[in-house]
Amino acid sequence: MSPVPSAPAELLPTGEVLLIVDDDTPTRLLLRGVLSRQGFVVIEASDGMEAVALFAQHHPALVLLDVMMPVLDGFATCVQMRALDQDAGTPLIMLTGANDLKAIDHAFSAGATDFITKPINWTLLTQRVRYALRSGQLGREVRRSHLRQLSACRIAKLAFWEWRLSDDSLHWSDDLHAVLGVASPAVGWLGELLALVHPDDRTRAQRLLTLTRQANTPLELELRVHTAGIERLVRLVGERGVQGADQAVVFGAVQDVTALRQTEALVDYLALHDDLTDLPNRRLFLRRSAEVLSTLDLDDDEVLLIIWLDIARFHRHNEALGEAGGDLLLTRLARRLRRLVVVQDALARVGGDEFALLIRAATLAAGLDRLESILVQLRRPFHLHLAADETILTFSVGVAVAPEHGTDPNQLLMLAQDAQRLARSQARAVLVATPLPPSQSRFTETLAVERALHTALERDEFFLVYQPQMELRTGTIVGAEALLRWQHPTLGMVSPVRFIPLLENLGLIATVGQWVLEEACRQAQRWESAGLNLRVGINLSPRQFLEPNLFATIQQVIAKTGVQPAHLELEITESLAMQDPTSAIALLGRLRAIGLKIAIDDFGIGHSSLEYLLRFPIDTIKIDRTFVTNITHAQADRVIVRAVTAIGQTMGLSVIAEGVETLRQCDFIEALGVHEIQGYLIGKPMAAAQLETLIAEFVRPGADLALSD
């Protein structure tokens, strides 16, 4: 009987394809009948050569292969199939005689997965086949996982190690050389590893290793190692095994984090320092001020002076000395200020010729005395070697005092700036700001806002606006960020900067956040129904994100509104994600698993989180507007945007730049490789209906200029 003709691959049924190879027609027919009834699609061959051709054509899920056949026997056929199969791991089951042990051994040598003896036990046949298919699938998954792991380790410069506590021997994975620049035999013992460690790090490393040995504490440290003439910064982690003999072994990983730490340090440093004077910038100054304010002893009348210092008529010095001379003068002034400011104080360059100081003192009088002593030193001549004459500077200074004038660092700095401007107009050297009268007290005003917030939601005073996001490659609007607004009947439009922190403090943010989530999802669903393929970004507040039932809440809202999860993008801040990275990674993974997109907002102004960013399941990085504002003339901001964009591209993430307001900013952003932009250049936050009109009529900004050229 001739073999049953097999259908072309594209016409085969959807069941798994099995290939039966046997020159005995009755056996083939019996096998086909049994397996077909189990839902398998069966193709047949009567000799090995025909079987190899069918295997190459159809890539069957499993092969049942007789040993004794004409043209090409089962062993040779098995060898050729395994060569075609490569790493796919297709189960190849040989049909052999019951007592033919030599044939069974030969079958395994040829690449067979298993064997079934003749006469065939038909009752057990399908169970053996299904078991082989499951084992094959598992094997393929294991191989794919192993290959992915190898790729990830190679990209992350990661290797694995074992430390046997009984004799201090070390055993490494094969990729150690790529991580440490040294082969495994060179570091086979703990002492050999410690010999590579920088002397300044060695004592710390020995102490932590001893703790791991004696107290069974997890090992986690970063240290410098010197191999092949290169100093590397490596991260070493490990922990003891938990069962049996493994309890005497520490299992761990080692990673070369040199480039990672350099990039983190560069991004963090440039984000927080002035590129000319190398002083802290306004962001870092405000952060330091907040830290000091939190430790201020109010019971002991301790005060904090926030000082705004401006060089009087600096433009005249700039004109006389030239731009290079003016820059040199500023750097010399910064150097002198650094020597005058003590450790517990703070210093920053906050403008072209403007500086901020923080002085902590027992009393206001003591603080002003300290300020005066600094000013005396700053009035001493500067010798620049660019001109024969000495350069003498004069200053106008404004002072705000905490807690008298408040405890908000930004408000205090603005108050000090206002006092400095008033001092300049009155030709005074130093002016302390005047507190607000009781009728204008910020405290009284805040209480009124707090009272109104308690009923704002039930009175329908909250509403959402949407700020469009444009894809630079296509010039089309592809998304919108949902933003909360509050219109009060008497207070009017209240700024989110004022009411959102109050919602957090009053414990109302979870309720309002739930409303925002539902309203944004409802709007996204309306746009879906209208045929608008628009991604809607929804901000999660810190308290929302830390709610234990957040995942269930989001699932309920999606089910309730009927929105497609793919049209939603949840935005969390970098600092929020870093509060508990392990929990954040788990939660974000669950959210992405149901189809939601995840964005890290305000990236670059929070923690140095590049190490964790590699593990966060995210889709988008949003570059904070602070790096975009001065991108056309501040090299430091361009470096930061370029670095963040490179990170995003490497990880396959989309990068959105916020706060783009001009075409020139847009050109710089696009040249640096950013994918999308958001800002007033595209559109201010607007109502949903206005956004629909904008999309219908949208023309990329600058397109008319390009056409006219």
Side-chain angles (χ1 to χ4, degrees):
M1 181 184 295
S2 60
V4 177
S6 57
E10 64 271 19
L11 298 180
L12 289 171
T14 56
E16 290 185 287
V17 178
L18 306 187
L19 172 59
I20 297 172
V21 187
D22 199 316
D23 62 331
D24 182 55
T25 301
T27 300
R28 287 203 318 273
L29 291 175
L30 285 170
L31 286 168
R32 179 179 183 179
V34 170
L35 295 173
S36 296
R37 284 195 296 274
Q38 297 297 320
F40 295 111
V41 177
V42 178
I43 55 177
E44 304 172 34
S46 58
D47 61 63
M49 193 65 71
E50 182 186 6
V52 171
L54 288 174
F55 185 90
Q57 179 185 1
H58 296 298
H59 305 290
L62 179 141
V63 179
L64 285 169
L65 180 63
D66 189 28
V67 170
M68 304 303 295
M69 292 185 299
V71 184
L72 198 67
D73 67 18
F75 304 123
T77 303
C78 187
V79 170
Q80 291 195 26
M81 286 183 177
R82 195 55 79 194
L84 291 172
D85 194 43
Q86 295 183 341
D87 293 328
T90 302
L92 303 179
I93 300 178
M94 301 289 285
L95 302 175
T96 68
N99 297 315
D100 194 351
L101 297 179
K102 184 177 180 181
I104 293 171
D105 185 60
H106 193 180
F108 282 120
S109 299
T113 308
D114 199 357
F115 66 92
I116 294 176
T117 58
K118 292 183 178 180
I120 297 171
N121 184 328
W122 301 101
T123 304
L124 297 178
L125 172 67
T126 55
Q127 297 302 321
R128 293 285 294 276
V129 167
R130 292 190 184 280
Y131 174 80
L133 287 170
R134 284 196 299 271
S135 298
Q137 179 63 28
L138 179 61
R140 285 190 291 274
E141 287 296 327
V142 169
R143 280 189 291 275
R144 281 197 290 267
S145 178
H146 180 63
L147 290 173
R148 287 195 293 267
Q149 183 183 29
L150 289 177
S151 297
C153 290
R154 187 169 56 254
I155 294 169
K157 295 185 177 180
L158 190 69
F160 300 97
W161 58 278
E162 294 180 12
W163 170 25
R164 301 190 185 278
L165 300 176
S166 58
D167 60 1
D168 280 343
S169 63
L170 298 175
H171 304 269
W172 305 87
S173 58
D174 295 337
D175 39 14
L176 176 66
H177 187 273
V179 178
L180 287 185
V182 64
S184 301
V187 281
W189 305 94
L190 187 63
E192 292 174 337
L193 174 63
L194 289 171
L196 301 177
V197 176
H198 192 283
D200 293 344
D201 296 343
R202 199 170 295 155
T203 301
R204 176 169 56 91
Q206 288 173 323
R207 185 173 67 252
L208 292 174
L209 287 164
T210 301
L211 279 173
T212 300
R213 179 198 297 273
Q214 296 178 351
N216 195 17
T217 58
L219 177 68
E220 185 172 352
L221 75 157
E222 289 189 7
L223 42 79
R224 292 163 289 177
V225 298
H226 193 83
T227 58
I230 299 173
E231 184 174 277
R232 293 174 170 86
L233 182 64
V234 300
R235 184 166 186 262
L236 204 68
V237 296
E239 61 180 24
R240 293 268 288 271
V242 295
Q243 291 183 345
D246 285 351
Q247 296 178 76
V249 181
V250 175
F251 300 91
V254 60
Q255 183 180 21
D256 181 354
V257 294
T258 309
L260 183 64
R261 292 291 177 263
Q262 289 172 345
T263 303
E264 287 177 347
L266 175 64
V267 171
D268 190 53
Y269 190 86
L270 292 177
L272 298 172
H273 289 79
D274 173 55
D275 56 352
L276 174 64
T277 64
D278 211 28
L279 289 178
N281 61 15
R282 185 184 185 117
R283 286 192 294 273
L284 184 53
F285 181 82
L286 291 174
R287 182 186 298 179
R288 169 65 177 150
S289 300
E291 291 171 355
V292 176
L293 281 164
S294 67
T295 63
L296 208 59
D297 190 349
L298 301 181
D299 294 334
D300 206 19
D301 294 330
E302 194 177 24
V303 297
L304 189 70
L305 276 63
I306 301 290
I307 300 159
W308 190 283
L309 185 148
D310 177 78
I311 303 174
R313 299 180 300 279
F314 178 74
H315 65 280
R316 297 184 63 182
H317 297 288
N318 222 16
E319 291 170 358
L321 299 170
E323 185 176 346
D327 287 348
L328 180 60
L329 180 58
L330 289 171
T331 57
R332 293 287 178 83
L333 173 62
R335 188 185 307 168
R336 188 176 295 182
L337 276 167
R338 246 195 223 99
R339 292 198 301 267
L340 296 169
V341 172
V342 296
V343 175
Q344 62 266 31
D345 297 341
L347 169 67
R349 185 187 182 200
V350 290
D353 59 347
E354 296 164 319
F355 298 82
L357 284 75
L358 178 153
I359 294 178
R360 186 171 186 166
T363 65
L364 175 58
L368 291 175
D369 287 344
R370 173 88 181 114
L371 171 61
E372 182 56 34
S373 67
I374 292 173
L375 291 175
V376 168
Q377 296 298 318
L378 294 181
R379 295 181 187 118
R380 290 174 46 233
F382 289 87
H383 303 277
L384 302 180
H385 307 295
L386 295 175
D389 298 331
E390 298 173 335
T391 301
I392 299 175
L393 299 177
T394 57
F395 304 89
S396 58
V397 180
V399 181
V401 185
E404 182 182 359
H405 297 152
T407 55
D408 179 84
N410 194 53
Q411 292 294 334
L412 289 168
L413 188 60
M414 292 173 63
L415 196 59
Q417 183 182 19
D418 291 341
Q420 178 271 318
R421 290 170 177 167
L422 185 58
R424 182 176 58 192
S425 67
Q426 296 177 357
R428 299 171 63 177
V430 179
L431 181 64
V432 178
T434 304
L436 291 170
S439 61
Q440 299 177 27
S441 168
R442 295 182 189 276
F443 180 75
T444 304
E445 185 180 1
T446 299
L447 283 178
V449 174
E450 287 183 4
R451 285 194 297 269
L453 274 174
H454 281 284
T455 57
L457 187 59
E458 63 188 52
R459 293 182 178 180
D460 292 325
E461 293 171 3
F462 289 123
F463 63 99
L464 294 185
V465 292
Y466 301 87
Q467 186 166 31
Q469 298 163 334
M470 184 190 80
E471 185 182 63
L472 287 167
R473 182 179 60 84
T474 61
T476 57
I477 294 174
V478 294
E481 181 180 2
L483 300 168
L484 180 64
R485 294 294 184 264
W486 180 25
Q487 177 72 48
H488 188 269
T490 57
L491 297 175
M493 188 69 73
V494 184
S495 169
V497 176
R498 290 179 60 197
F499 75 81
I500 289 181
L502 290 175
L503 286 173
E504 291 271 7
N505 294 335
L506 296 170
L508 300 173
I509 194 66
T511 305
V512 176
Q514 172 85 4
W515 178 86
V516 170
L517 181 64
E518 291 184 10
E519 183 61 24
C521 287
R522 277 192 290 268
Q523 184 56 59
Q525 199 283 326
R526 292 188 200 108
W527 281 330
E528 279 180 24
S529 300
L532 283 178
N533 186 23
L534 204 61
R535 181 189 66 236
V536 178
I538 304 171
N539 292 282
L540 294 180
S541 72
R543 190 160 298 184
Q544 262 183 297
F545 189 70
L546 297 175
E547 285 284 336
N549 61 344
L550 176 63
F551 180 77
T553 299
I554 291 174
Q555 280 189 309
Q556 291 168 5
V557 171
I558 290 173
K560 178 180 177 181
T561 59
V563 67
Q564 291 295 319
H567 288 148
L568 303 177
E569 186 171 76
L570 301 180
E571 297 184 12
I572 62 170
T573 63
E574 179 187 4
S575 299
L576 174 58
M578 290 301 298
Q579 286 186 22
D580 185 355
T582 302
S583 298
I585 289 168
L587 175 57
L588 297 180
R590 295 178 70 193
L591 292 170
R592 283 191 82 213
I594 62 174
L596 294 163
K597 293 180 172 62
I598 306 295
I600 295 290
D601 198 13
D602 299 338
F603 185 81
I605 65 172
H607 296 68
S608 298
S609 59
L610 295 179
E611 179 182 358
Y612 283 98
L613 187 63
L614 294 171
R615 296 165 50 197
F616 277 126
I618 61 175
D619 304 279
T620 304
I621 299 174
K622 298 191 76 175
I623 299 175
D624 187 70
R625 65 182 66 249
T626 55
F627 303 121
V628 174
T629 302
N630 299 315
I631 196 168
T632 58
H633 56 271
Q635 184 180 5
D637 287 349
R638 289 198 292 274
V639 170
I640 292 167
V641 173
R642 185 183 294 112
V644 173
T645 304
I647 291 168
Q649 290 172 341
T650 301
M651 297 175 61
L653 307 177
S654 178
V655 179
I656 301 178
E658 298 182 294
V660 179
E661 298 183 359
T662 68
L663 273 175
R664 187 161 171 76
Q665 288 174 339
C666 180
D667 291 341
F668 271 82
I669 289 292
E670 188 169 12
L672 293 174
V674 174
H675 303 103
E676 297 177 26
I677 61 171
Q678 176 180 339
Y680 284 8
L681 179 66
I682 308 304
K684 296 182 179 181
M686 61 189 73
Q690 292 175 300
L691 181 60
E692 293 165 12
T693 302
L694 176 67
I695 294 173
E697 302 173 352
F698 184 75
V699 177
R700 174 176 175 155
D704 53 341
L705 297 176
L707 290 173
S708 62
D709 289 340

